[in-house]
Amino acid sequence: MSRARSLALGLLSLMACLALAPASASADFGLSDISVSFTEADGSQARKAGSHPFQMTTTFKVNTVEHPDKPGVQVVDGALRNLDVTLPAGFAGNPTAAPRCETIDFLTLEVLVPACADATAVGTLRVEVGGATGIVGEETVPVYSLLPSPGVAAKLGFYVAELPVTIDISPAQTSPYNVVASLRNTSQIAEVLGSEFTIWGNPSDPRHNAERGECVRTPAADLCPTDAPAKPLITLPRSCEGPLTTTFHAVSWWSGSRFDPGPPASFHHSEQTPGMIDCSGLGLSADLQVRPTSAQAESASGLEADLLVTDEDVNEPSGRVDSDVSAVVVELPEGVTANPSFAAGLATCSSAQLAAETLTSAPGQGCPLASKIGTVEATTPILEDTVLRGALYIAPQDDPDSPGQENPFDSLLAMHLVVKDPTLGLLVRQSGLIEPNRATGQLISIFDELPPFPLGEVRLRLREGARSPLITPPRCGPHTTFSELFPSADPEEPLEVPSTFQITSGVGGGPCPSGAPFDPGFSAGTALNNAGSFSPFHMRLTRRDADQDLTRFDAVLPPGVLAKLAGVSKCPDAAIAAAKAKSGKAELAQPSCPANSRIGGVWGGAGVGTDLTYVPGSLYLAGPVGKAPLSVVGVVPAVAGPFDVGTVVVRQALRVNPRSATAEVDGASSDPIPHILEGIPLKVRDIRVDVDRPGFTLNPTSCDASQTLADIWGGGTNVFSLADDSPVRRASRFQAANCSRLGFEPRLAIKLRGGTKRGAHPALTATYRPRPGDANLASVATRLPRSAFLDQAHIRTICTRVQFAADACPAASIYGTATATTPLLDEPLSGPVYLRSSDNELPDMVLDLHGIVDVEVSARIDSVKGGIRASFTDAPDAPVTEVVLRMQGGKKGLVVNSTNLCARRNRARVVLGAQSGKSLRLRPVVRPSGCKGRGGKGRKGGKGR
């Protein structure tokens, strides 16, 4: 802005000349013989960067045509109406270098000279004036610095042909914010044929006394002195890149001949002057202090950045102004990261909304108020006692597919700085890149192509509070920000400025954290614990601020908490891969996994403090992962506020313990919990899983107290959070209720098929059928009648425990088959029945069932009171529709008849135990096949008891 005002003064000089020029030329409206020069007192070119020249001079001629009725008489065509002169980038001036004349004094003529004090004169105008009569005259008039009107940075005024002319000077509203001098609606009475406009570099210089103010008409060396302090009005650019360019844009009142006028015409011209030299002689003395607003570890924080530029020669006419700060790069310390909580409730300022930020726009008419993230204040030594104020707004994430959703850097994070001062007519709109390190989250901010004018002090503040944009480092002690200030004079040699701040306490002002703390929270259970009923199942993992990040977990659900997989489809691997490749918004619009594979929802809470940002997702059933037969897939469209960082897909392997049938989450075979996305450390504090598909999760029928167990691992993404190979064990108590209300009346049928005579080896079939809705089976002890012995001579091969664990039992160790049908699965489980070595005198009988899951049910075999007994003591708490056990007969039969089975009715003795604690004794008839009459086929009373 200060630059704008100084430039304005220079432009005013140019403008004054141009303002008087009624732009017209031989059939072409315009100006000719345009020149712009910066000179020293001896007339040589002033080219030292940052110096204050003796004066600046602009000359031009107005295009003319011959009078149609007066040969040899030149007149202008298309009299000038409006003129804008844009001074070179970096050209600066001080509008307070000379006292300013009051408007009323300027409009008061005393002997053809305004009543302005001589000290307010800042230059001269020599103008050649003509008219339709062909009479040509020349005059030299003083140029005064006037008090500017509201919305104008500076104003110059002078008289031509006794007519007042003023030029308004304000900075352009687009980069590089050149000063623009504007002349509007000029008088058509005076026709300017040419002009020479001069602005003094130091208006108080005694060498201008002879031309100052009133003395311009009657030059006298010492009659018009000034006691105003010596201050430079003009400062040359502080960069040596290329020539200086001044542009002229004029609009006429008419075009063509004044005697046959046409519509208004426009004229545009760019004039170049030699570029600056000796940039190596410019210094840069600046300091930039950057620090979070919170001194607590791993806490939400704003940011304070204070830039101080000192230059003793900025107001010294014989000195040179230091280099401008053309770019700033700020590298925050590792551990200072973006805060995910920042996204909630945040809006963004699009390019169109930024463009709608004008000098007169009200708050919210351009950038939305919800996109404001901070404030900025700035001062400049060439605008004394003026504080410029503005705001910082978050830019939208770049999205080429969404019009208006873009930023200049094609990046995830960017911000807009808007500084406006309606009084000065100043509007600066600047965008900056925020670049997070994709591996650590370390933040680098880059503001490039800053306005080229001298700075004094800049104070930037990012908002504080629970949803502040930053998170402080997780460890106490010193942390250093490294900044680079790039001087306009030599951008290849940045000034490196470190600044150090201290983290002095832990979260909430507590003790500083030490080591690698990790104390996660865990809870799990069904929403309704009524035994044997379906209920949603909830699981939650939490983490404290400053603890290690959650990386993975194993979980073992309570016995009997099972899922009904029947009728549920599985999300294909191809759909899972597609979800990983999609944006979050695309996944929200069209989920990748089939709707019938959805079993619940998942929520992730990220950030620090109490105000986390929660992002919802869906939980799907999927197929095998590694050796696990099933998996669940959490698909979370990572859309938080205005940001979309893709779709997070975490696949957890599911196993069913073959002995207990408990469901287990196998973290080692699963995807890790993500730490960082697109360079934003998630700081995941809260993970919630709700398996809420109706009729999916089933409570046990045992009301014994149990628990959900979890092993939780911690780790980190930076040097402040070290991985821990030892998990933390957590348990969440669980207990079903109302087990006593469950009935227990199952049926058991035993059949022998084959030889019925003594010494024969019949095949045995046992069929177990419970009543729907009853408690699940817990134990079975079955003693066959004394008519059936165990023939140990037929025990050929026994599978060892090592072989069984390796799934390598010999075929000869198979003695039967078993099939279990359950309402939880679409297909029954089936498999061989082995004899496996045990600690008992006789081998165990093991039902090795396979299907979508594997289940292992073992029974101890012994002899009681002359009969064979098989005892299943740990049946899983799982509902079954039917279980059929078929043992081989004949040469492979283990059962041998001790008597003729047809001679009498033979009953087994069975004790059934329910998971609810109830028991039932049965004496089912062991029904042989092939008997007639007593004990034979079809005889009543042989099924259940």
Side-chain angles (χ1 to χ4, degrees):
M1 303 170 310
S2 65
R3 170 187 82 123
R5 282 196 168 178
S6 2
L7 284 176
L9 291 174
L11 276 173
L12 287 180
S13 311
L14 282 172
M15 293 300 227
C17 301
L18 294 171
L20 294 176
S24 183
S26 58
D28 290 328
F29 165 74
L31 307 177
S32 61
D33 295 340
I34 298 173
S35 69
V36 179
S37 63
F38 305 97
T39 57
E40 303 292 2
D42 61 2
S44 62
Q45 285 188 342
R47 295 188 60 191
K48 282 191 175 183
S51 65
H52 309 294
F54 181 70
Q55 64 187 24
M56 173 185 120
T57 301
T58 301
T59 63
F60 68 87
K61 291 183 178 180
V62 180
N63 293 342
T64 61
V65 295
E66 188 175 75
H67 194 292
D69 299 326
K70 298 179 180 181
V73 176
Q74 296 294 314
V75 294
V76 297
D77 281 344
L80 177 70
R81 178 176 183 175
N82 298 329
L83 177 65
D84 291 320
V85 179
T86 303
L87 293 179
F91 183 89
N94 186 344
T96 62
R100 289 179 284 193
C101 179
E102 297 279 356
T103 301
I104 189 172
D105 293 330
F106 175 69
L107 296 177
T108 301
L109 286 178
E110 297 178 353
V111 193
L112 301 181
V113 177
C116 296
D118 290 341
T120 65
V122 293
T124 62
L125 170 66
R126 184 179 64 81
V127 61
E128 184 180 6
V129 183
T133 63
I135 300 174
V136 177
E138 182 179 295
E139 64 177 324
T140 301
V141 298
V143 177
Y144 297 98
S145 175
L146 308 180
L147 280 174
S149 306
V152 177
K155 178 181 285 191
L156 297 181
F158 49 86
Y159 274 75
V160 172
E162 302 184 21
L163 297 174
V165 179
T166 61
I167 300 175
D168 289 337
I169 303 175
S170 290
Q173 297 181 4
T174 57
S175 181
Y177 304 101
N178 310 58
V179 171
V180 180
S182 298
L183 193 64
R184 292 290 179 268
N185 295 320
T186 62
S187 172
Q188 302 178 50
I189 297 176
E191 295 184 353
V192 175
L193 302 181
S195 76
E196 182 181 280
F197 192 84
T198 300
I199 291 293
W200 302 324
N202 173 18
S204 66
D205 191 324
R207 287 174 288 186
H208 299 304
N209 286 354
E211 298 179 304
R212 181 177 290 109
E214 184 178 357
C215 288
V216 74
R217 294 184 178 275
T218 55
D222 296 320
L223 293 181
C224 298
T226 178
D227 58 359
K231 284 186 180 181
L233 175 61
I234 299 174
T235 301
L236 294 178
R238 279 74 60 207
S239 171
C240 294
E241 294 183 359
L244 304 183
T245 300
T246 303
T247 62
F248 300 81
H249 182 74
V251 177
S252 67
W253 285 100
W254 71 82
S255 64
S257 170
R258 69 165 62 234
F259 307 101
D260 185 18
S266 63
F267 167 81
H268 188 85
H269 174 77
S270 294
E271 183 70 16
Q272 291 190 334
T273 53
M276 297 293 97
I277 60 174
D278 195 21
C279 277
S280 61
L282 299 185
L284 177 60
S285 178
D287 182 57
L288 177 58
Q289 294 296 311
V290 182
R291 57 199 170 273
T293 57
S294 173
Q296 298 178 5
E298 193 152 306
S299 301
S301 176
L303 186 76
E304 297 177 348
D306 293 323
L307 173 65
L308 179 62
V309 180
T310 55
D311 185 359
E312 296 179 355
D313 290 337
V314 70
N315 287 315
E316 174 56 49
S318 61
R320 297 174 65 188
V321 176
D322 278 350
S323 177
D324 299 326
V325 178
S326 64
V328 178
V329 177
V330 178
E331 182 179 302
L332 294 174
E334 190 167 347
V336 177
T337 60
N339 183 7
S341 299
F342 175 58
L346 186 68
T348 60
C349 179
S350 68
S351 298
Q353 290 168 324
L354 179 64
E357 282 285 346
T358 66
L359 288 173
T360 58
S361 61
Q365 287 184 339
C367 292
L369 295 177
S371 67
K372 183 178 177 180
I373 61 172
T375 60
V376 63
E377 294 181 350
T379 63
T380 171
I382 56 177
L383 285 179
E384 298 176 359
D385 303 323
T386 299
V387 178
L388 307 173
R389 292 180 171 84
L392 290 163
Y393 302 94
I394 198 72
Q397 174 184 355
D398 193 72
D399 184 358
D401 297 328
S402 299
Q405 292 297 111
E406 72 283 329
N407 63 60
F409 312 103
D410 298 334
S411 63
L412 172 66
L413 297 176
M415 58 183 172
H416 302 307
L417 180 151
V418 178
V419 175
K420 61 174 70 176
D421 191 320
T423 301
L424 297 174
L426 173 74
L427 175 64
V428 174
R429 292 170 292 198
Q430 189 82 22
S431 297
L433 171 65
I434 306 170
E435 191 171 54
N437 183 293
R438 297 179 69 89
T440 65
Q442 185 177 16
L443 296 172
I444 298 178
S445 297
I446 303 172
F447 274 89
D448 199 2
E449 298 181 357
L450 295 175
F453 56 79
L455 289 175
E457 187 174 359
V458 179
R459 292 167 49 87
L460 182 148
R461 298 292 184 267
L462 296 185
R463 73 184 191 192
E464 297 184 75
R467 298 200 182 278
S468 297
L470 299 178
I471 297 176
T472 56
R475 295 292 175 269
C476 290
H479 302 274
T480 301
T481 297
F482 292 95
S483 301
E484 289 182 317
L485 307 178
F486 291 80
S488 59
D490 189 359
E492 301 300 322
E493 292 294 332
L495 176 66
E496 297 183 356
V497 183
S499 62
T500 300
F501 61 87
Q502 295 280 340
I503 297 298
T504 58
S505 66
V507 176
C512 288
S514 61
F518 189 57
D519 186 21
F522 175 74
S523 61
T526 54
L528 304 172
N529 66 341
N530 199 44
S533 65
F534 288 101
S535 171
F537 182 84
H538 306 296
M539 180 181 291
R540 185 180 185 187
L541 296 173
T542 58
R543 180 187 68 86
R544 303 178 308 176
D545 284 329
D547 273 11
Q548 296 180 68
D549 290 334
L550 301 168
T551 60
R552 66 182 178 95
F553 71 99
D554 292 341
V556 179
L557 271 59
V561 175
L562 301 171
K564 185 178 181 180
L565 304 180
V568 182
S569 61
K570 299 180 184 64
C571 184
D573 289 349
I576 296 171
K580 292 180 179 180
K582 292 167 66 174
S583 69
K585 293 178 182 177
E587 178 63 23
L588 283 171
Q590 187 172 2
S592 300
C593 292
N596 191 45
S597 65
R598 189 182 189 278
I599 60 174
V602 58
W603 285 261
V608 295
T610 56
D611 293 340
L612 305 182
T613 293
Y614 282 89
V615 179
S618 292
L619 193 67
Y620 299 95
L621 183 68
V625 171
K627 294 183 179 180
L630 293 169
S631 60
V632 290
V633 180
V635 178
V636 181
V639 178
F643 301 113
D644 179 352
V645 292
T647 300
V648 178
V649 178
V650 178
R651 194 169 186 177
Q652 298 288 115
L654 286 183
R655 300 180 186 274
V656 173
N657 187 297
R659 295 180 181 84
S660 63
T662 54
E664 300 176 355
V665 177
D666 181 8
S669 301
S670 303
D671 295 332
I673 299 170
H675 290 278
I676 188 168
L677 292 176
E678 299 294 329
I680 309 299
L682 300 180
K683 300 293 183 182
V684 176
R685 290 266 315 283
D686 191 355
I687 298 175
R688 303 180 186 185
V689 177
D690 286 344
V691 183
D692 57 5
R693 182 186 179 111
F696 184 76
T697 306
L698 183 64
N699 279 325
T701 59
S702 169
C703 287
D704 293 341
S706 61
Q707 56 190 1
T708 303
L709 296 175
D711 287 333
I712 308 171
W713 277 263
T717 58
N718 54 52
V719 296
F720 300 100
S721 188
L722 305 176
D724 187 352
D725 292 333
S726 301
V728 174
R729 171 62 62 91
R730 292 289 182 264
S732 181
R733 187 179 184 278
F734 176 82
Q735 189 170 17
N738 302 318
C739 289
S740 61
R741 298 180 182 179
L742 298 176
F744 187 61
E745 294 187 15
R747 295 291 182 264
L748 179 65
I750 303 174
K751 295 181 180 180
L752 296 175
R753 183 177 298 278
T756 59
K757 295 182 179 180
R758 177 184 175 86
H761 294 78
L764 181 144
T765 299
T767 302
Y768 173 80
R769 290 191 180 92
R771 188 175 62 175
D774 278 2
N776 297 326
L777 182 68
S779 62
V780 181
T782 301
R783 189 180 69 176
L784 294 178
R786 295 179 182 177
S787 58
F789 288 167
L790 175 64
D791 190 345
Q792 297 192 38
H794 277 208
I795 300 178
R796 305 173 303 280
T797 304
I798 298 175
C799 181
T800 67
R801 290 185 176 272
V802 173
Q803 290 172 323
F804 188 88
D807 197 20
C809 288
S813 63
I814 298 174
Y815 292 86
T817 62
T819 300
T821 303
T822 170
L824 302 182
L825 303 175
D826 289 315
E827 301 291 337
L829 305 177
S830 61
V833 176
Y834 295 102
L835 289 186
R836 188 183 65 187
S837 59
S838 72
D839 298 332
N840 303 314
E841 182 179 349
L842 295 174
D844 291 339
M845 181 175 64
V846 182
L847 283 61
D848 190 19
L849 305 177
H850 300 281
I852 192 171
V853 296
D854 297 337
V855 176
E856 170 194 332
V857 183
S858 62
R860 177 181 177 182
I861 300 175
D862 59 6
S863 179
V864 178
K865 296 181 179 180
I868 304 172
R869 183 173 64 180
S871 301
F872 295 88
T873 56
D874 295 311
D877 191 355
V880 294
T881 304
E882 179 183 75
V883 179
V884 179
L885 172 66
R886 294 181 176 88
M887 299 300 295
Q888 297 171 344
K891 294 180 179 181
K892 297 183 178 181
L894 297 178
V895 176
V896 60
N897 297 332
S898 63
T899 185
N900 188 330
L901 299 182
C902 296
R904 59 187 300 273
R905 180 180 296 173
N906 301 295
R907 291 181 179 272
R909 294 180 180 271
V910 179
V911 179
L912 302 174
Q915 296 285 348
S916 62
K918 293 181 179 180
S919 63
L920 182 65
R921 294 180 179 273
L922 302 178
R923 294 203 61 196
V925 173
V926 178
R927 299 176 59 199
S929 63
C931 293
K932 296 181 181 180
R934 184 178 180 81
K937 183 177 179 180
R939 188 172 183 84
K940 294 181 180 180
K943 270 195 176 180
R945 297 188 180 274

